[in-house]
Amino acid sequence: MSLIVQKYGGTSMGSVERIQNVARRVAKWHAAGHQVIVVPSAMSGETNRLLGLAKELSAQPDPREQDMLAATGEQASSALLAMALIAQGVPARSYAGWQVPVRTDNSYTRARIRAIEGTRIREDLDAGRVVIVTGFQGVDEDGNITTLGRGGSDTSAVAVAAALQASECLIFTDVDGVYTTDPRVVPAARRMKVVSFEEMLEMASLGSKVLQIRSVEFAGKYQVPVRVLSSLTDPLIPLEEEMASGTLITFEEDQKMEAAVVSGIAFSRDEAKFTLRAVPDTPGVAYSILGPIAAANIDVDMILQNVSVQGMTDFSFTVNRNDALRTHDLLSTQVGPAVGAGEIVYDDTVCKVSIVGIGMRSHAGVASAMFRTLSQEGINIQMISTSEIKTSVIIDDKYMELAVRALHKTFELDQEK
Amino acid sequence: MSLIVQKYGGTSMGSVERIQNVARRVAKWHAAGHQVIVVPSAMSGETNRLLGLAKELSAQPDPREQDMLAATGEQASSALLAMALIAQGVPARSYAGWQVPVRTDNSYTRARIRAIEGTRIREDLDAGRVVIVTGFQGVDEDGNITTLGRGGSDTSAVAVAAALQASECLIFTDVDGVYTTDPRVVPAARRMKVVSFEEMLEMASLGSKVLQIRSVEFAGKYQVPVRVLSSLTDPLIPLEEEMASGTLITFEEDQKMEAAVVSGIAFSRDEAKFTLRAVPDTPGVAYSILGPIAAANIDVDMILQNVSVQGMTDFSFTVNRNDALRTHDLLSTQVGPAVGAGEIVYDDTVCKVSIVGIGMRSHAGVASAMFRTLSQEGINIQMISTSEIKTSVIIDDKYMELAVRALHKTFELDQEK
């Protein structure tokens, strides 16, 4: 008997029939003698419906009240799942975040989990019940409802698994695992059976949308084994088969370290590049430019400062495309004049392509193989950044698919290792 | 400056525009210097939508989970109203039942309020905020969410008013007050400006659906002045005019006692009459018949036992039509055979018509005026029951409108007093 946490996304909870299917799958695990905690998202469309009402009332809804509103979606789906289980003869009980409690800080709409009290859940599990914990939400120390932000149910599930020392956290979703890259771009993309937590973290942060990045951070911090797998299979698929499906995110590096140098290719079009031309190259200029950007809560990703020519340099950086307007505003009204920059150049036709792999730690020449491939395809590299286990480049976004396909082939990701 | 509780029903909260209108009305009271607590229902249709989903999952949804589900409706509408107020520049904060907390027993789906903690609300009011408290729900001593049953938001509002010693509890609804009888039946029906709490209690329990009966009981127990008034007027109607509208339910009897003997005519078609013929008239037979009915949680309303003929009697009683099937089942399979009854006769073409008035306490002959009127109209009275301030009769339901109109005229209810 082991303790398993299972998270189901909004699509999996999207209708009465689908909720009944989730209940069948959970009942199967329960019948096999496992203790099961389920973390459901709101029924698909519900969070958007609620936030749509809020937006009609206010362009910027009060954050506390927005959380109060949005949290109802998961409370409803959790109660419905409990009913479905009970109707199938499985004892079950649902808890809202505050009932567990899932304690968070008070950053409404993007709160962070501080602690999860496991006593009540443990009692129910020991009494043979399936426990359902609302995803996405918690309670601050003053008893206000908070939410974790979009995709927060993944984080809830991993946090619950960590707090109760579950043997595995299963993230059921509408894809059947994590792929070497997006199969819509590279049909030969291959599902990874295992991926290391660090690789997954890079993949998530680089635009692969299978898991919310904070859930991966949580999994890493608390060493929770997480498996991403499909909720679209027959709910009564044998347990062993289910446990061998999907992608396991692991901490036991040696399982696969020997084999792959590059595990996957991530990419993202959510990039915008800014260049300040002819900036006087004085000490502290980088801080003068990026300080105000950071102060406005805009995340800067890549940074490039050209060599100085006659005491002047070009300074480039990228931000998320959603922040492009605000960044442009800051640069043109504030930062540019302050540092005495020349022209401000803005480019939102760029993308980021990254190779990720723990093997890069111990293998030289991986980055140069990437650059060679891009060069052979005639793709100009505008910016480069590297970390221990990834290399990212900014290129013209019309070459994105071409670059991803070529790199996928270069690193033989279509071949099982 | 006074403290006012305002309750808005589901229709008043039924759309973004209507919520904005509620916010305008509340803002008007706030701007006039009053402290305001608002108790909203769920948006109209929402509770039915949620319970519909539950019914699809289970013919008898688990009661704890049903409350967990249903409570989300009021939480959402409360948060939306807070947003609307904040968007109009009025500081506001919403609280779910458990946050106040509104403490109840653990009778899921029909819980009773035990206590309301006013500290948190008081702090917000003193800080100049409008406080919004979800109607219809509370929390039991183990931290489970409970609901008060259909129409429970009225009870929530009155209970909050009692706990915080509000000067008045305004129940905003889609009618403009309590009438001498249903204007759809008697076009000459007149809105009462004042009605005593006891009369209102009889009216509510006899089928007048303006207020939930438990809210009236609560108002009586804690002497909370309640006013029923329309939410369909211009939200910016002057305060004085608003406070003179609707119907005030009062505890100061002398205000009107001198005038009316009969205040209103209530009626209900939700009646079913059962007769057990030829029951042996032995001591304890009434208990033998009604004991099992009560044990099945079926409320018996009127009871009639004919005089005994040759040691045999006919025993009749009425129940709510919703309980008719279960009652029939109990009588035919269990009670009838046990007491050795003859035929069991069932009649669901009956109705109940009642005259209500505190003046009946001190005026003789009121009931006989009622019987005379019915007799003049050729209406046969099947059963009679009386209390200090009401007289009810069971008659053939095809005569209901005729009886109500005739009685309305007899007691001159169309004339202002």
Side-chain angles (χ1 to χ4, degrees):
Chain A
M1 188 190 76
S2 53
L3 170 57
I4 304 282
V5 174
Q6 303 188 356
K7 183 260 175 179
Y8 292 89
T11 312
S12 312
M13 296 289 294
S15 68
V16 164
E17 292 69 30
R18 289 185 184 181
I19 290 172
Q20 284 168 328
N21 267 342
V22 169
R24 279 186 203 104
R25 196 181 295 274
V26 171
K28 172 185 70 181
W29 284 83
H30 184 259
H34 294 291
Q35 294 188 325
V36 188
I37 303 171
V38 188
V39 179
S41 296
M43 293 175 77
S44 56
E46 180 63 4
T47 305
N48 284 337
R49 182 182 75 85
L50 293 168
L51 296 182
L53 289 170
K55 280 285 176 198
E56 282 188 67
L57 285 167
S58 173
Q60 292 200 305
D62 182 78
R64 178 189 183 278
E65 301 300 332
Q66 185 174 317
D67 280 1
M68 187 86 174
L69 177 71
T72 63
E74 279 74 16
Q75 183 172 322
S77 67
S78 295
L80 290 169
L81 180 57
M83 288 176 194
L85 281 162
I86 293 166
Q88 291 178 22
V90 180
R93 195 167 280 176
S94 74
Y95 293 102
W98 62 270
Q99 290 178 306
V100 173
V102 175
R103 298 188 197 284
T104 72
D105 63 20
N106 62 3
S107 310
Y108 298 120
T109 75
R110 50 188 171 84
R112 289 184 170 267
I113 295 177
R114 283 186 171 157
I116 293 179
E117 176 60 57
T119 318
R120 198 163 177 178
I121 295 177
R122 184 76 67 191
E123 281 172 15
D124 278 321
L125 292 174
D126 290 345
R129 291 190 191 97
V130 168
V131 176
I132 300 158
V133 175
T134 54
F136 176 65
Q137 64 183 259
V139 62
D140 75 9
E141 62 184 344
D142 295 322
N144 299 302
I145 292 176
T146 56
T147 70
L148 311 183
R150 280 289 165 125
S153 292
D154 288 347
T155 307
S156 300
V158 174
V160 165
L164 282 114
Q165 298 176 296
S167 60
E168 203 162 295
C169 178
L170 308 184
I171 309 280
F172 285 92
T173 174
D174 48 5
V175 298
D176 69 348
V178 182
Y179 277 69
T180 50
T181 195
D182 189 332
R184 285 170 300 187
V185 171
V186 184
R190 198 175 36 78
R191 174 169 65 82
M192 294 185 259
K193 288 182 178 160
V194 181
V195 65
S196 78
F197 140 73
E198 288 164 292
E199 286 168 328
M200 193 62 217
L201 198 59
E202 290 288 4
M203 300 286 271
S205 69
L206 293 170
S208 166
K209 296 194 174 104
V210 177
L211 274 182
Q212 201 216 14
I213 184 162
R214 272 167 56 195
S215 72
V216 183
E217 288 168 2
F218 236 97
K221 188 167 171 190
Y222 296 101
Q223 306 259 312
V224 180
V226 172
R227 184 179 295 274
V228 175
L229 67 178
S230 174
S231 69
L232 304 176
T233 57
D234 176 358
L236 301 182
I237 177 181
L239 275 198
E240 302 67 34
E241 203 176 314
E242 187 147 57
M243 281 307 280
S245 72
T247 298
L248 178 67
I249 303 166
T250 182
F251 306 91
E252 293 154 20
E253 297 207 351
D254 29 321
Q255 278 194 14
K256 66 184 292 279
M257 284 319 88
E258 306 306 319
V261 174
V262 172
S263 297
I265 318 279
F267 53 86
S268 155
R269 270 203 173 84
D270 303 331
E271 309 290 325
K273 187 175 87 164
F274 288 89
T275 301
L276 278 79
R277 291 209 192 281
V279 178
D281 191 6
T282 53
V285 70
Y287 178 73
S288 306
I289 294 169
L290 299 180
I293 306 289
N297 262 319
I298 297 169
D299 279 333
V300 170
D301 184 10
M302 285 199 216
I303 302 165
L304 182 75
Q305 186 171 354
N306 279 1
V307 288
S308 180
V309 176
Q310 297 179 329
M312 304 297 255
T313 184
D314 290 348
F315 191 97
S316 299
F317 62 92
T318 63
V319 299
N320 189 294
R321 220 173 270 184
N322 289 332
D323 294 323
L325 261 178
R326 285 201 299 143
T327 305
H328 194 268
D329 197 45
L330 271 174
L331 290 183
S332 50
T333 62
Q334 209 178 313
V335 177
V339 300
E343 196 185 1
I344 294 163
V345 183
Y346 163 58
D347 186 356
D348 65 353
T349 62
V350 295
C351 70
K352 180 164 66 172
V353 174
S354 312
I355 57 173
V356 177
I358 284 206
M360 291 167 72
R361 276 191 191 139
S362 45
H363 287 73
V366 179
S368 70
M370 179 189 201
F371 303 153
R372 188 178 61 239
T373 300
L374 296 174
S375 156
Q376 282 166 353
E377 301 291 344
I379 300 168
N380 185 41
I381 297 171
Q382 302 183 20
M383 296 172 85
I384 299 172
S385 86
T386 61
S387 80
E388 229 189 344
I389 66 163
K390 71 132 209 270
T391 300
S392 302
V393 297
I394 294 287
I395 60 174
D396 190 326
D397 70 357
K398 72 181 173 195
Y399 295 126
M400 192 177 81
E401 285 82 1
L402 174 62
V404 172
R405 277 187 215 116
L407 292 167
H408 201 266
K409 197 166 175 200
T410 295
F411 294 107
E412 299 178 335
L413 294 180
D414 50 345
Q415 286 160 45
E416 192 82 40
K417 279 161 201 143
Chain B
M1 187 192 75
S2 52
L3 170 57
I4 304 282
V5 174
Q6 304 189 355
K7 183 260 174 179
Y8 292 89
T11 311
S12 312
M13 297 290 293
S15 68
V16 164
E17 292 69 31
R18 289 185 184 179
I19 290 172
Q20 284 169 327
N21 266 342
V22 169
R24 278 185 204 106
R25 195 181 296 272
V26 171
K28 172 186 70 182
W29 283 83
H30 184 259
H34 294 290
Q35 293 188 325
V36 188
I37 303 171
V38 188
V39 179
S41 296
M43 294 174 77
S44 56
E46 179 64 3
T47 305
N48 284 338
R49 183 183 75 84
L50 293 169
L51 296 181
L53 289 171
K55 280 284 177 201
E56 282 187 65
L57 285 168
S58 172
Q60 292 201 306
D62 181 77
R64 178 188 183 278
E65 301 301 331
Q66 185 175 318
D67 280 2
M68 188 86 175
L69 178 71
T72 63
E74 279 74 16
Q75 183 172 324
S77 68
S78 294
L80 290 169
L81 179 56
M83 288 177 195
L85 280 162
I86 293 166
Q88 291 178 23
V90 180
R93 195 167 280 178
S94 74
Y95 293 102
W98 63 269
Q99 289 178 308
V100 173
V102 175
R103 297 188 198 283
T104 72
D105 62 20
N106 62 3
S107 310
Y108 297 121
T109 75
R110 51 189 173 83
R112 289 184 169 267
I113 294 176
R114 283 186 171 158
I116 293 179
E117 175 60 58
T119 317
R120 199 164 175 177
I121 295 177
R122 184 75 67 190
E123 281 171 16
D124 278 322
L125 292 174
D126 290 345
R129 292 191 191 98
V130 168
V131 176
I132 300 158
V133 175
T134 52
F136 176 65
Q137 63 184 259
V139 61
D140 74 9
E141 61 185 345
D142 295 321
N144 299 302
I145 292 175
T146 56
T147 71
L148 311 182
R150 280 289 165 125
S153 291
D154 287 348
T155 307
S156 300
V158 174
V160 166
L164 282 115
Q165 299 177 294
S167 60
E168 203 163 294
C169 178
L170 309 184
I171 308 280
F172 285 93
T173 174
D174 49 3
V175 298
D176 68 349
V178 182
Y179 277 70
T180 50
T181 195
D182 188 333
R184 286 169 300 187
V185 171
V186 184
R190 198 174 36 77
R191 174 168 65 82
M192 295 185 256
K193 288 184 179 159
V194 181
V195 64
S196 78
F197 140 73
E198 287 163 292
E199 286 168 327
M200 193 63 216
L201 198 58
E202 291 287 4
M203 300 285 271
S205 68
L206 293 171
S208 167
K209 294 192 173 107
V210 178
L211 274 182
Q212 201 218 13
I213 184 164
R214 273 168 55 195
S215 73
V216 183
E217 288 169 1
F218 236 98
K221 188 167 173 190
Y222 296 101
Q223 305 257 312
V224 180
V226 172
R227 183 179 296 274
V228 175
L229 68 178
S230 173
S231 68
L232 304 176
T233 57
D234 175 357
L236 301 181
I237 176 181
L239 275 198
E240 302 66 36
E241 203 177 313
E242 187 148 60
M243 282 307 281
S245 72
T247 298
L248 178 67
I249 302 165
T250 183
F251 306 90
E252 294 155 19
E253 297 205 350
D254 30 321
Q255 278 194 18
K256 66 184 293 276
M257 284 320 85
E258 305 307 319
V261 174
V262 171
S263 298
I265 318 281
F267 52 86
S268 157
R269 271 202 172 86
D270 303 331
E271 308 290 325
K273 187 175 88 164
F274 288 89
T275 301
L276 278 78
R277 290 210 193 280
V279 177
D281 192 5
T282 53
V285 71
Y287 178 71
S288 307
I289 294 169
L290 299 180
I293 306 289
N297 262 319
I298 298 169
D299 278 334
V300 170
D301 184 11
M302 285 199 215
I303 302 164
L304 182 75
Q305 187 172 354
N306 278 1
V307 288
S308 181
V309 176
Q310 297 179 330
M312 304 295 257
T313 183
D314 290 347
F315 191 97
S316 299
F317 62 92
T318 62
V319 299
N320 189 294
R321 221 173 269 185
N322 289 333
D323 293 324
L325 261 178
R326 285 201 299 142
T327 305
H328 194 268
D329 196 44
L330 271 173
L331 290 183
S332 50
T333 62
Q334 208 179 314
V335 176
V339 300
E343 195 186 3
I344 294 163
V345 182
Y346 164 58
D347 186 356
D348 65 353
T349 62
V350 296
C351 71
K352 181 164 66 172
V353 174
S354 312
I355 56 173
V356 176
I358 284 205
M360 291 167 73
R361 274 190 192 140
S362 45
H363 287 73
V366 179
S368 69
M370 179 190 201
F371 304 151
R372 187 178 62 238
T373 300
L374 295 175
S375 155
Q376 282 166 354
E377 300 292 344
I379 300 169
N380 185 40
I381 297 172
Q382 300 182 21
M383 297 171 84
I384 299 171
S385 87
T386 61
S387 80
E388 227 187 347
I389 65 164
K390 73 132 208 269
T391 301
S392 303
V393 297
I394 294 288
I395 59 175
D396 190 327
D397 70 357
K398 72 181 173 196
Y399 295 127
M400 191 177 82
E401 285 82 359
L402 174 62
V404 172
R405 278 187 215 114
L407 291 168
H408 201 266
K409 196 164 177 202
T410 296
F411 295 106
E412 300 178 335
L413 293 180
D414 50 345
Q415 286 160 47
E416 192 82 42
K417 285 173 195 131

